[in-house]
Amino acid sequence: MSSNRTYSMIKPHAVADNHVGGILKMIEEGGFRIVALKKLQMTASQAGEFYNVHAERPFYGELCEMMSEGPIVAMILEKENAVLDFRTLIGSTDPAEAAEGTVRKAYAKSKSENAVHGSDSDENAAIESSFFFSGIERF
Ligand code: CMP
């Protein structure tokens, strides 16, 4: 059974470039309800923990550095079929392959600085949401 919640974050480059409002507008207009939302800055070590699944990848060091270089906007989003529908809304990891109308087509700069993260499974959505939010921060 698919869950109705996913985890997302707006990455530091997109926050620094003042794209938070534009990205949230696309998310809300895409039919997602914001369950939890906050702005924070991760340490490189916290970014490393969050992206531990990619620890063996050649881009892991660059990813941890990029994700801790400034504040992010973390959120939990709700919609039927949230994980898959959100990945459709944000588009491909590589902005060169992202479809027209997707968040990454509009705001990503590269495969690394790709504007937003979206969970890849219901299981990871639950784990990633709990990494950032307690129960009393969800509405
Ligand atoms: P995200 O959806 O947050 O999940 C893993 C992240 O790793 C991805 O977005 C990118 O920021 C980064 N990433 C994935 N593939 C590459 C790559 N080939 N080169 C650099 N960064 C990458």
Side-chain angles (χ1 to χ4, degrees), residues 9 11 50-51 54 57 59 62-63 66-67 87 90 93 104 110-114 116-118:
M9 52 192 165
K11 299 191 176 187
F50 181 85
Y51 280 115
H54 296 304
R57 304 283 193 94
F59 56 81
E62 177 196 346
L63 176 60
M66 181 270 291
M67 288 303 297
R87 286 175 76 82
I90 64 179
T93 302
R104 284 172 170 161
S110 66
K111 261 191 208 174
S112 171
E113 292 191 317
N114 60 0
V116 283
H117 167 79

Side-chain angles (χ1 to χ4, degrees), residues 55-72:
E56 302 306 319
R57 304 283 193 94
F59 56 81
Y60 181 64
E62 177 196 346
L63 176 60
C64 297
E65 200 176 307
M66 181 270 291
M67 288 303 297
S68 58
E69 74 189 4
I72 59 157

